[in-house]
Amino acid sequence: MSYLKNYLKASKHLDQKESALAFMASLDVIQSVDPKIAQAILAELTDQRSFLKMIASENYSSLAVQLAMGNLLTDKYSEGSVGKRFYAGCKNVDTIEALAEGYAKELFGADCAYVQPHSGADANLIAFLAILTVRVQDKELQYQGKKLGELSQEEFLSLRDLMLHQKMVGMSLDAGGHLTHGYRHNISSKLMISSFYEVDSKTHLIDYAAIQKQVEEEKPLILLAGYSSYPRKIDFAKMRNIADSVGAVLMVDMAHFSGLVAGKAFTGVHNPIPYADIVTSTTHKTLRGPRGGLILCKQEFAEAVKKGCPLVIGGPMPHVMAAKAIAFKEALDPSFQEYASQIVQNAHALAERFVEHGASVITGGTENHMVLLDVFSSYGLTGKAAENVLREIGITANRNAIFQDPNGPWITSGLRLGTPALTTIGMKETQMQMIADAIHRALSHTKPKKENGALSRVDVLTDPEEKQKAQKQIEQLTGEFPVYPELLFDEELCQTM
Ligand code: DSN
C-alpha cells in the first residue's frame, strides 16, 4: 500500500484536495529511498495532531509554502543578488527572489527587502555586519581613500580592530531578549561589545527612561529592540528618539511579531518599519512561512545588506525564497489581518483566564501572541516540570527563564505559551479559556517529588484523576480542530506499510 493510495481510500467520499494528493505522493517518492524517513514525516503529522502546539515561535505553514520548498529549486546555486549573480543560469531564481522581495516590501511598506538569510540568527548577523560596514568600515575607507582590497594587511588589521570595538545595547536574555542580541555564548558578543537593558523589577515592563540613561552612558553604535520572550508591545517612536539622542543605529528584531506587523495588529508606534534603520525577522513564526530569515532596511543600509552573501552566507536557497514569496503573498490577503488580530485576542483571553485562576502572569497580561506564566510562584513548579506536565496532558509548550529567574536559564521558573498555531487551526477565545482551565487544573494538582529529602525541581506527580480530566479537555479540542484536515490517512494501514 502506498501513501497516495492510502489517502485515496481514506478520502473516498470527500472532495480530494490537490495539495493532499501532492503531499501523499511525495511520501511515496521518499519511501522508495528510505521508508523510515517517510514514516517519521507522517509520525510528525500525527504528533502535531495529537498535541496542541503552544510554542510561541512555531506555527503551521500552508501546504503551498511547504511544496514550494520541496522541489528542484534546491539544486540551484545563485550567489549574488537579483540580476547580479556569480553563477550562470539564474534567470528563474531572479524571478523568484524579485517576487519575494517585492511582496515583502509591499507587505511591510519597507524601502528595501533582503530575502536570502537562512534564519533569524543569520539575518541578525548580516544586519550587525552591514551596520559595521556602513558606519565604520566605509567611513574609514573614505578617509584613507582606498578600497577594502587595496589595504595592506596591517591597515586591514587595524580596521578590523576598530570594527571589533563597537558597542551595542540590547535586551538581556532573562528580561526576554534573544541569544543573538549580544549573549556571551553567541557570536554577537564576540563581534561587538554588548551590554543589556533590563525590565522594571516590579512590573517586568520595558523602562524607556532607564534605557535612555544607559544609552547616554554607553553611547553604542547600535540600539537593538526586539524580544523572544516579552508579552508586550514596544514603543518604537521612543526607541528611535533614544537612538537619535546618541546617534545610534536603531535595529529591530521582529522575529516574533512580524506576522502581527504584516497583519496590522501592530500599527503606529508599535510598527517598527517607519522608525528603525534595519529590521530583521524570521519568516516562520507569526508570519506563518517557511523556516528562514528576512531583512528590511532603509536605503542607507540596502547595498551592504544585499551583500549578505558573501558577508555571512554562501549559496542562497531558491526553494526557501520561493516558499517565502508564497507566504508573503498569503499574508497580503486581507484574511491575514483577521488572523493577526485573532492571535492577539486569543492570547489576551488566555492570559485573562490565568489571572482569574489567580496565577502569576508576567506583566499582568499580554498585548501580543504570548503569555508568560511564572509557574514557580503560581504552582511551586519549575518551568521544566510544568513543560513536562503539559506534554502529559497533550500540550507542547516551552519553559522559559523569567526576569532574575531563581531557577536559572535551563530549569527556569516560567512557561511561555503562544497562540499563533492554535489560531491558524481556527481556535478562538472560548477554546483559550478551556485550555487555560485544563493547564491550571493539571498544574495546581501537581507536586514535586522528594529527592534525597529535598523537593525535586524536575520529577513531579500529578493527581491521576485530575490529570485525566485535563487530558480529556485537551483531547476534545484536538479532535475538534484537526491540523491539516485535508491530509487524511488510515493510521492502521500506515503501520503495516
Ligand atoms: N527559538 C526561537 C524563539 O523561541 O524565540 C528563536 O530562537
Side-chain angles (χ1 to χ4, degrees), residues 54 56 171 173-177 199 203-204 227-232 256 347 350-352 354-355 359-379 398-403 405 412-418:
M54 296 191 77
M171 192 179 209
L173 197 62
D174 72 336
V199 284
T203 61
H204 289 188
Y227 52 76
S228 171
S229 186
Y230 180 72
R232 296 283 168 178
H256 264 267
L350 191 69
E352 265 200 338
F354 278 115
V355 170
S360 166
V361 175
I362 302 286
T363 76
T366 179
E367 293 167 343
N368 56 20
H369 60 296
M370 69 171 85
V371 176
L372 292 174
L373 277 187
D374 177 350
V375 285
F376 198 57
S377 63
S378 305
Y379 304 104
N398 70 288
R399 64 189 185 277
N400 216 101
I402 56 173
F403 188 51
D405 200 311
T412 82
S413 304
L415 197 59
R416 190 181 67 162
L417 300 169

Side-chain angles (χ1 to χ4, degrees), residues 5 123 136 227 359 370 421 460:
K5 284 188 186 145
V136 183
Y227 52 76
M370 69 171 85
V460 292

Side-chain angles (χ1 to χ4, degrees), residues 395-433:
I395 296 173
T396 309
N398 70 288
R399 64 189 185 277
N400 216 101
I402 56 173
F403 188 51
Q404 296 173 337
D405 200 311
N407 287 301
W410 175 246
I411 298 285
T412 82
S413 304
L415 197 59
R416 190 181 67 162
L417 300 169
T419 56
L422 299 185
T423 309
T424 297
I425 55 172
M427 291 195 187
K428 298 236 160 75
E429 289 88 333
T430 317
Q431 287 76 39
M432 297 304 119
Q433 289 167 355

Side-chain angles (χ1 to χ4, degrees), residues 146-364:
K146 287 186 178 174
K147 294 202 165 112
L148 193 61
E150 292 167 357
L151 297 182
S152 68
Q153 178 70 343
E154 204 178 32
E155 286 167 334
F156 178 68
L157 290 180
S158 107
L159 172 63
R160 186 171 172 270
D161 202 43
L162 187 65
M163 291 173 84
L164 287 172
H165 278 86
Q166 303 300 317
K167 291 182 181 172
M168 73 168 214
V169 175
M171 192 179 209
S172 81
L173 197 62
D174 72 336
H178 191 251
L179 301 168
T180 55
H181 298 180
Y183 181 57
R184 286 254 167 110
H185 295 275
N186 180 262
I187 188 168
S188 47
S189 70
K190 306 181 205 275
L191 189 66
M192 318 262 323
I193 300 170
S194 54
S195 56
F196 304 100
Y197 53 87
E198 308 292 350
V199 284
D200 181 87
S201 59
K202 282 205 184 76
T203 61
H204 289 188
L205 294 171
I206 287 178
D207 179 345
Y208 296 95
I211 300 175
Q212 174 75 58
K213 197 161 165 271
Q214 187 176 350
V215 160
E216 275 167 17
E217 277 162 23
E218 309 240 2
K219 300 205 171 30
L221 172 70
I222 302 174
L223 173 62
L224 176 49
Y227 52 76
S228 171
S229 186
Y230 180 72
R232 296 283 168 178
K233 294 180 191 171
I234 296 175
D235 185 328
F236 295 109
K238 284 191 179 156
M239 283 296 198
R240 176 78 261 171
N241 285 338
I242 297 172
D244 282 346
S245 70
V246 294
V249 172
L250 178 61
M251 173 173 159
V252 173
D253 178 347
M254 64 167 183
H256 264 267
F257 53 90
S258 53
L260 304 182
V261 175
K264 305 205 175 349
F266 281 10
T267 54
V269 295
H270 306 297
N271 171 5
I273 311 296
Y275 298 99
D277 298 291
I278 294 204
V279 179
T280 60
S281 184
T282 51
T283 46
H284 50 270
K285 296 187 173 91
T286 43
L287 200 47
R288 217 167 60 186
R291 288 208 94 76
L294 167 71
I295 303 178
L296 304 165
C297 65
K298 303 266 191 254
Q299 281 306 338
E300 182 190 1
F301 296 98
E303 196 189 329
V305 162
K306 292 240 166 163
K307 288 184 180 153
C309 160
L311 191 61
V312 172
I313 55 179
M317 298 191 197
H319 56 308
V320 184
M321 293 195 286
K324 285 175 187 172
I326 298 287
F328 300 150
K329 185 103 191 266
E330 288 175 345
L332 278 164
D333 191 274
S335 61
F336 197 81
Q337 294 182 19
E338 272 168 51
Y339 167 65
S341 133
Q342 191 63 51
I343 289 179
V344 177
Q345 288 168 45
N346 281 352
H348 183 71
L350 191 69
E352 265 200 338
R353 192 63 152 204
F354 278 115
V355 170
E356 280 166 27
H357 281 303
S360 166
V361 175
I362 302 286
T363 76

